[in-house]
Amino acid sequence: MSDPRDSFSAGDRLAPPRREPAHQPRAPRPPRGPRKHSLLGTVLSFVVSGLYRVVFLGIVLGLVGAGAGFLYFSAGLPSIDSLKTYKPPLESRVFASDFQLVSELGSQHSVYVTYDQIPPLVSQAFISAEDKLFWVEPGVNPAAMLRAGITDITLIGSGRRPIGASTITQQVVKNMLLDNHITFGTKVKEALLAMRVSQAMSKQQVLTLYLNEVDLGHNSFGIAAAAMTYFDKPLSQLDIAQAATLAALPKAPTNYDPFLHPADALQRRNFIISRMLDDGAITQAQADAATAEPLLPRAAAATQGVVNGGYFADAVKAQLVQKFGADAVNTGGLVVHTSLDPRLQQAATDAVRDGLEQYDHTYAGWHGRVAHVADPDLAANWQQDLAKQTNPPGMRQNWRLGIVLEAAGPSARIGSIDPASGSPQTGELPLADMRWARPQVNGGLGPRPSSVSDVLHQGDVVMVSGEAMLSLEQIPNIQGALVSIDPTTGRVLAMVGGWSHDISSFNRVTQAQRQPGSSVKPLVYLTAMEQGVQPDAPVLDAPFVQQLPDGSVYRPGNYEDTFQGPVPIFHALEDSLNLATLHLARQIGLNNVATTFQNFGIVDQMPPYYPSAIGAIDTTLWKMATAYAALDQYGRQVTPSLIDSVTNPDGTVLYQSPSQVCDNCVNNADPGQMPQLNLSGQQVADPDSAYQMITMMKGVVLRGTGAPAIVGISQPVAGKTGTTNNFNDAWFIGFTPGIVTGCWIGFDTPASLGKDQTGGNVCGPIWNEYMKVALAGQPNLDFAAPQGMTAQQAAEPDGTMVTEAFKPGQTPGAQSQNALLGGADNGGSSGTPAAPGTTGPGQPGTPTQPSNIDNSLGGLY
């Protein structure tokens, strides 16, 4: 065993061993003298001791206050569960029958995109602009909040809005869970909720919510909608500069609007590009290229894809709200397929506008210039002067504004901007193209202009069309409406509710209550057919006198102020004879006429007075066209429909039009069997009588008042004109076996259209223009005769033989030996006939006495 001492060094061995001294008691300390304190030391000691206590108390109070504040502000905070199950508010989209977009319905324009559909550069642009620490922060940025708080203290009393320090998460909370009112309390709640959201949801979920909900101006919410609004392109096609332009908007959408404030928008955009570079999101070369890119916003095309479909879209929206409620329509993202035919809608719009223009140029004269520019150097400055003008609503697509540069000699020189190229151009407006522009003098029209200076003056801003040779244009004061229906299904193919939806959204198809005049007469004659009266039965066209309940005497007249004596019923309809119609109504019973009117839906309750039988009732073009559709369908009631189907965003069918339901379309056992739609509708008249009326109404357009409507149309047409007293309203409603179209023309405030402005003359050409488009390429199909009906010859008053329809057992002339229809009251009338002898036939063609005619009630023609 080794000796521990062997591990010591030699020196250690030579050193003597250390001995511990023996313990000795410590000598007592001498007593201290009294301690001396300075005054300064005493004070400092007291202050330090006090500070410790204050700090400790402050910490305690701060913790207590923070806890109390947390409890206070946490109480009543909204749940964040709604963010987890978030369904974005989506516009409902309305489509035409060919899938063109008609309109978007909603309180805000938004298009939802998933996280995977968001280009990384777009999301990075917003992160660089709004919240560079988004990916790592716990929902709030304490340093930014402290900095903002210090700054806000300096703004107290300045009246300026406090600056924000909201992260993207806080903005989501503010926009979706809280109101936008900024107070200290709401900022605390915002921060608390943001931390909760950051713990409960992934950053990707939060960013998706933000980029779909952020307000980017022009009623565009979310980046996808804004991409279309500002650049008219899908989100996936945005470049760096465009993404930065959108990212500039959340800070102040109006102030950085690239359309309204391009300089500020450009500056903010370039700042965000630099932030993206600093954050490493883009390279220096990309930043330089994006900064050099000009700011070229491009307004999105109008959301209404089908041109001039505004009236139809409004009617669809009204039905959707009625079926599903306003919230579902405005935020539910409904997909609505409709019956609208864009080709026919454009044809209808053109026809109505052409007809109104024709009337306006002929009878209304010159309304005046759009504006006037008093510029002493107009020749040099006209382009700038014209650029300051705003297009009036309702201008046609081929019109534009022009400014009169010279107005002397045989033509005026007009400066305008080419709408296609945007380049300035000048053109000549010859006097011959403004001869219609007569001045309005004392409620009438003055002479036609003899020189251009009678109409135009240098500096006038006017509407023109054409290119080198221009035409003077103006928006008419008169209004019109047209509706076109497939009578088999009731699907509405086209609807024009006025000159322009941009001027007035009042729909004159569905909303304007007007007197239909003689267009109701087919229903009076149908009532007679249902009572077994033959089309060739004689009816008395002679003075008609009726004492009304108030004691007054009703003494109407015919349009020509003449009467023809006994005439065949079909002829009375062709010539729209008021007196013959009233005699017939008296014979068949006014109460029976009322029942027919009500069954066909033109009125809910017909006033029980004879003027009602010749159109002195209030109804709409919609109701009248619907009644004619029932005639077209041989008395089967037709319900017009605008909407074919409605689905929600996931494709679930919420509504299917009954006219679109087909029982044998799926799993059809017989491949050779044609699909059959389910056609519903009560039978409101017997088919045989309805066919007799159709045949008689074919005579109206072939030989009677409706002749202008079918010029150049080879297909069989049935129809009837309507003109109210004082020529206030002009109507024509006509149909073929496959389409019913109705037209109305008049002033919104009833006023005379002018003498001889009848339904045939005013509405007939409009109907004709539209139907030539609608019938193009269609076969010449005639109305099929019901079984047992025969077509036989009957004589006009002048001996001309025409074809009319007769029921089984009826033969031409069989009722001609009977007493004339008229003269005796068959019940149901309101009032009593005048003294005997006052309704005698008189001499055919003898003018009635104008002083004895009451033209205040009923139709004219």
Side-chain angles (χ1 to χ4, degrees), residues 365-371 440 461-462 473-474:
W366 175 237
H367 303 169
R369 64 200 180 197
V370 174
Q440 298 180 5
V461 177
V462 295
E473 307 290 358
Q474 70 179 5

Side-chain angles (χ1 to χ4, degrees), residues 468-493:
M469 299 301 293
L470 304 175
S471 296
L472 184 64
E473 307 290 358
Q474 70 179 5
I475 295 173
N477 292 328
I478 192 173
Q479 285 289 353
L482 184 147
V483 64
S484 190
I485 303 172
D486 177 344
T488 304
T489 62
R491 300 175 73 240
V492 177
L493 306 175

Side-chain angles (χ1 to χ4, degrees), residues 25-353:
R26 179 179 296 177
R29 256 185 208 178
R32 290 185 181 180
R35 182 175 292 177
K36 297 180 181 179
H37 295 280
S38 67
L39 178 61
L40 178 59
T42 301
V43 171
L44 288 175
S45 176
F46 177 79
V47 170
V48 170
S49 175
L51 284 176
Y52 283 141
R53 292 185 179 91
V54 170
V55 170
F56 177 76
L57 181 61
I59 291 173
V60 172
L61 291 177
L63 291 174
V64 172
F70 177 81
L71 293 175
Y72 173 79
F73 288 110
S74 295
L77 283 179
S79 171
I80 66 171
D81 290 340
S82 61
L83 298 183
K84 299 178 183 178
T85 58
Y86 169 73
K87 291 184 178 180
L90 299 176
E91 292 175 301
S92 295
R93 296 165 71 83
V94 179
F95 296 93
S97 59
D98 65 351
F99 304 104
Q100 285 192 58
L101 181 66
V102 177
S103 67
E104 293 173 314
L105 310 176
S107 55
Q108 64 183 45
H109 178 46
S110 60
V111 179
Y112 185 78
V113 288
T114 64
Y115 180 78
D116 293 337
Q117 294 172 317
I118 301 172
L121 279 175
V122 174
S123 58
Q124 184 58 51
F126 280 83
I127 290 172
S128 294
E130 295 292 314
D131 188 5
K132 64 182 296 183
L133 299 178
F134 170 75
W135 294 110
V136 296
E137 70 202 6
V140 295
N141 186 334
M145 293 175 67
L146 178 62
R147 182 173 62 251
I150 295 173
T151 304
D152 289 344
I153 291 175
T154 66
L155 297 179
I156 294 177
S158 67
R160 294 171 56 189
R161 180 185 176 94
I163 70 169
S166 295
T167 63
I168 283 176
T169 310
Q170 286 176 274
Q171 292 183 54
V172 169
V173 166
K174 178 178 64 177
N175 293 335
M176 301 180 68
L177 297 178
L178 299 173
D179 59 49
N180 264 324
H181 186 61
I182 297 179
T183 64
F184 176 76
T186 57
K187 294 299 290 184
V188 174
K189 292 181 178 181
E190 179 186 296
L192 293 174
L193 283 171
M195 289 187 285
R196 290 186 183 180
V197 169
S198 188
Q199 292 174 348
M201 300 176 65
S202 70
K203 291 292 186 180
Q204 289 84 354
Q205 289 175 308
V206 173
L207 186 61
T208 302
L209 289 176
Y210 173 71
L211 293 178
N212 277 286
E213 278 293 315
V214 62
D215 181 0
L216 298 175
H218 289 282
N219 199 38
S220 296
F221 290 79
I223 52 177
M228 296 300 300
T229 297
Y230 292 100
F231 299 106
D232 197 22
K233 60 170 57 176
L235 181 64
S236 60
Q237 296 182 14
L238 295 184
D239 60 24
I240 295 172
Q242 292 166 344
T245 300
L246 297 187
L249 293 167
K251 184 177 180 66
T254 301
N255 294 343
Y256 296 113
D257 185 328
F259 296 116
L260 301 177
H261 307 288
D264 293 337
L266 180 63
Q267 183 179 14
R268 175 75 178 162
R269 182 203 73 174
N270 291 344
F271 168 73
I272 292 172
I273 292 172
S274 68
R275 291 284 294 268
M276 295 175 70
L277 176 63
D278 294 341
D279 294 343
I282 57 176
T283 66
Q284 183 67 56
Q286 289 175 314
D288 292 342
T291 303
E293 184 175 313
L295 183 72
L296 294 175
R298 177 184 177 188
T303 56
Q304 186 168 292
V306 176
V307 178
N308 301 312
Y311 293 108
F312 187 93
D314 284 354
V316 168
K317 182 176 182 179
Q319 290 193 4
L320 290 172
V321 169
Q322 186 177 20
K323 288 178 184 292
F324 303 105
D327 286 345
V329 174
N330 292 327
T331 65
L334 303 179
V335 179
V336 185
H337 290 280
T338 72
S339 56
L340 184 69
D341 185 321
R343 180 180 67 91
L344 296 184
Q345 180 64 27
Q346 187 60 53
T349 301
D350 290 342
V352 170
R353 289 184 170 183

